[in-house]
Short mmCIF file of all heavy atoms in Angstrom, two decimals:
data_model
loop_
_atom_site.label_atom_id
_atom_site.label_comp_id
_atom_site.label_asym_id
_atom_site.label_seq_id
_atom_site.Cartn_x
_atom_site.Cartn_y
_atom_site.Cartn_z
N LEU A 1137 -11.53 -4.50 13.18
CA LEU A 1137 -12.59 -3.51 13.01
C LEU A 1137 -13.91 -4.21 12.76
O LEU A 1137 -13.96 -5.30 12.19
CB LEU A 1137 -12.28 -2.58 11.83
CG LEU A 1137 -10.98 -1.78 11.88
CD1 LEU A 1137 -10.87 -0.92 10.63
CD2 LEU A 1137 -10.91 -0.92 13.12
N GLU A 1319 -6.76 -10.94 37.70
CA GLU A 1319 -5.42 -11.22 37.16
C GLU A 1319 -5.00 -10.20 36.11
O GLU A 1319 -3.92 -10.32 35.54
CB GLU A 1319 -5.38 -12.64 36.57
CG GLU A 1319 -5.58 -13.73 37.61
CD GLU A 1319 -5.48 -15.12 37.00
OE1 GLU A 1319 -4.77 -15.28 35.97
OE2 GLU A 1319 -6.09 -16.06 37.54
N THR A 1498 -13.93 22.10 -18.32
CA THR A 1498 -13.41 20.85 -18.88
C THR A 1498 -14.54 19.99 -19.46
O THR A 1498 -14.43 19.49 -20.58
CB THR A 1498 -12.67 20.05 -17.81
OG1 THR A 1498 -13.54 19.85 -16.68
CG2 THR A 1498 -11.42 20.78 -17.36
#
Side-chain angles (χ1 to χ4, degrees):
L1137 301 181
E1319 296 182 27
T1498 55

